[in-house]
Every structure is written in C-alpha cells, then in structure tokens.
C-alpha cells in the first residue's frame, strides 16, 4: 500500500513540474512577444551621423559668429560731404551700431562714398535701446523701425534655440545608439535654417525702412560680411537637417520586421 502511495506522489510531482515548465514557456513566449525590439546603430551609421553633425556644427558656428557681430550693414556718406578732411560711415547689426570717422586721404580716389570699414579711424559704438527703453536709433538723421529690428533679433534667437535642441537630439542619439532622435533633430535644424533666412529678410526690410525715413543726406548702403555668414549658416543648417532625414530612413521600423521560420518536422 505504501509503495503504491509513493509511486502516485512521484507521478503527480512530475506532472506538476511539467505543467509548470509548459506554463513558464508560454509565459516566456508571451513576454517575448510583448517586448519591444531596439535596433542599435552600426559603426558605419554612427560615423555618417557624426559627419552630418559636423556639417550642422559649421552652420551653428557661422550663425553665432554673424549674430554676435555688428557688421550686418554698412552706411556710408559721400566722402566729400562738407569739404572736410574726414568723413563718416556707420555699420550695425542686431544689437549694436557703430559710427566711424575716417580720413579722406586714406580712401580710394575712385570711391565716391566713405569707407571701407576696414580703414583706420575712430569708432563710437552704442547698444540699441530697442530691448530696454524701446527707443528707436537715429543714424545720419534717419530713424530705425524698432518693430522690424526686434522681429529680426527674435527670429535669430529662436533659430539659436532650435540649434541647441537639434544638437541635444543628436547627442542623445549617439549616446543611446538609437536613431529615434534623428527626425526631431532634422526638424530642429531645418526650422533653424529657415528662421535664420527669415531673420536676414526682415533685417533687410528694416534697412530699407531706415533709408526711406529721410533723404536729406545721400547714403550708400551695402550688406556686410555678417549677413554672408548668417545666410551661409541658414543654407548649411537646412542641408544638415536634410542629411539627418536621409540617415533616418534606413532605421524605419517597417524595414526591421522579423520573419519567423517554422522548424521542419523531425
């Protein structure tokens, strides 16, 4: 009797272990189906992303350089105005304007206006009061339009903010080894480039408004090298954003579908 009892207990134990193994296997299969597969980047893909990021960094550098300088536009009076030995010209950017006094003898005889700005002379620079007291600036009897100047500065600051956000997305993509952040980064850099170009257009409109405010003294004006830096930065940022879009295409989840193959019967 006792022998039959122990045999029955042994068989029930085996059945329980087998059932637990089957249940664990089903649970593992369900858990495996519920888990999300993360596709990490290869070394070649990471290298391409770093190269595209280097292109975007060049655009960011040019943007910061142009944004912080006051050589967006040059305004020059006729060099023989008043018959003096000196003449005056002005140059300004988003934040600050300068008036330079140059010697007429140092100017090219074939040049009719005062300049260029690289010649030695005395400078008097002041920051604009658009952002503090809201006052317009007066340059050679001409008055600026503070609304346009403020709009150009705000667009430039928004562009800089989008650059920072795009750079953070790329840094996270490289540190985590996933390409999920490439598309947000591309959006940030493209939008940043568009905002930069819009800032240049609005600034040019502010220069036109300044020149039309008074015509008692003729002025020669031209956009300077800071605008060239900012415009090049906008084009480079848009190009860098497009590169990130192209690099994010191979990581589409539709191209990473795993197909299961059934094992042949033994």
């Amino acid at each position: 009797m006792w022998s039959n009892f122990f045999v029955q207990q042994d068989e029930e134990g085996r059945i329980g272990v087998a059932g637990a193994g089957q249940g664990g296997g089903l649970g593992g299969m369900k858990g495996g189906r519920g888990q999300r597969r993360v596709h990490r980047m290869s070394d070649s893909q990471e290298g391409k992303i770093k190269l595209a990021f280097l292109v975007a960094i060049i655009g960011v550098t040019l943007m910061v350089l142009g944004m912080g300088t006051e050589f967006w536009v040059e305004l020059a009076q006729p060099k023989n105005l008043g018959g003096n030995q000196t003449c005056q010209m002005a140059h300004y950017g988003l934040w600050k304007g300068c008036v330079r006094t140059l010697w007429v003898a140092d100017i090219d005889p074939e040049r009719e206006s005062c300049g260029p700005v690289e010649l030695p002379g005395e400078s008097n620079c002041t920051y604009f009061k658009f952002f503090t007291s809201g006052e317009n600036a007066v340059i050679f009897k001409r008055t600026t339009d503070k609304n346009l100047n403020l709009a150009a500065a705000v667009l430039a600051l928004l562009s800089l903010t989008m650059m920072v956000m795009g750079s953070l997305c790329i840094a996270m993509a490289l540190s985590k080894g996933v390409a999920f952040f490439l598309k947000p980064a591309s959006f940030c850099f493209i939008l940043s480039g568009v905002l930069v170009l819009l800032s240049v257009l609005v600034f040019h409109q502010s220069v036109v408004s300044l020149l039309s405010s008074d015509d008692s003294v003729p002025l020669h004006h031209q956009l300077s090298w800071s605008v060239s830096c900012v415009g090049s930065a906008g084009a480079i940022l848009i190009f860098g954003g497009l590169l990130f879009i192209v690099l994010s295409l191979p990581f589409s989840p539709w191209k990473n579908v795993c197909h299961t193959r059934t094992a042949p019967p033994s």
Side-chain angles (χ1 to χ4, degrees):
M1 179 179 66
W2 291 105
S3 61
N4 294 334
F5 174 77
F6 287 117
V7 170
Q8 184 178 2
Q9 290 292 330
D10 188 23
E11 290 178 353
E12 292 179 355
R14 292 179 181 178
I15 294 173
V17 171
Q22 293 176 359
L26 292 175
M29 292 174 62
K30 293 180 180 178
R33 292 177 181 176
Q35 292 179 354
R36 186 176 182 179
R37 184 182 297 272
V38 178
H39 302 276
R40 301 186 65 85
M41 296 182 294
S42 62
D43 294 337
S44 62
Q45 294 165 345
E46 185 175 349
K48 294 177 182 178
I49 294 174
K50 290 181 179 179
L51 182 61
F53 189 43
L54 178 61
V55 173
I57 288 297
I58 295 175
V60 173
T61 304
L62 290 175
M63 175 58 189
V64 173
L65 177 63
M67 184 178 173
T69 53
E70 60 275 3
F71 295 93
W72 284 55
V73 67
E74 297 179 7
L75 305 175
Q77 294 180 346
K79 67 178 181 180
N80 296 323
L81 182 67
N84 298 325
Q85 295 181 352
T86 59
C87 62
Q88 287 186 331
M89 67 171 302
H91 59 90
Y92 65 93
L94 297 177
W95 325 106
K96 184 172 63 172
C98 299
V99 177
R100 290 180 58 84
T101 303
L102 307 178
W103 292 98
V104 177
D106 296 336
I107 302 174
D108 188 358
E110 298 181 356
R111 184 184 176 98
E112 297 181 356
S113 61
C114 188
V117 71
E118 292 83 9
L119 292 177
E122 297 180 359
S123 296
N124 183 17
C125 299
T126 56
Y127 284 94
F128 293 132
K129 298 180 180 180
F130 307 140
F131 313 98
T132 55
S133 60
E135 299 179 11
N136 283 312
V138 179
I139 304 174
F140 298 145
K141 299 182 180 180
R142 288 170 168 82
T143 306
T144 59
D145 189 344
K146 64 179 181 180
N147 294 327
L148 292 175
N149 289 88
L150 283 172
V154 169
L155 288 173
L157 290 175
L158 289 177
S159 174
L160 187 61
T161 303
M162 299 307 297
M163 293 179 201
V164 174
M165 294 178 62
S167 300
L168 290 177
C169 290
I170 296 300
M172 294 179 66
L174 293 175
S175 62
K176 301 296 183 179
V178 294
F180 172 77
F181 297 100
L182 288 182
K183 290 184 178 180
S186 65
F187 172 78
C188 291
F189 282 118
I190 291 176
L191 181 58
S192 175
V194 172
L195 290 175
V196 167
L197 298 179
L198 287 177
S199 176
V200 173
L201 292 177
V202 174
F203 181 82
H204 180 264
Q205 187 62 35
S206 70
V207 175
V208 173
S209 176
L210 171 71
L211 295 175
S212 62
S213 62
D214 185 86
D215 56 356
S216 60
V217 178
L219 284 181
H220 175 267
H221 76 283
Q222 63 178 5
L223 298 179
S224 190
W225 60 268
S226 296
V227 172
S228 300
C229 289
V230 174
S232 301
I236 293 174
L237 289 170
I238 293 175
F239 178 70
L242 294 176
L243 286 179
F244 288 126
I245 290 180
V246 173
L247 292 175
S248 65
L249 293 179
F251 301 102
S252 176
W254 298 104
K255 297 184 179 181
N256 295 317
V257 178
C258 298
H259 299 280
T260 57
R261 179 179 299 177
T262 58
S266 56

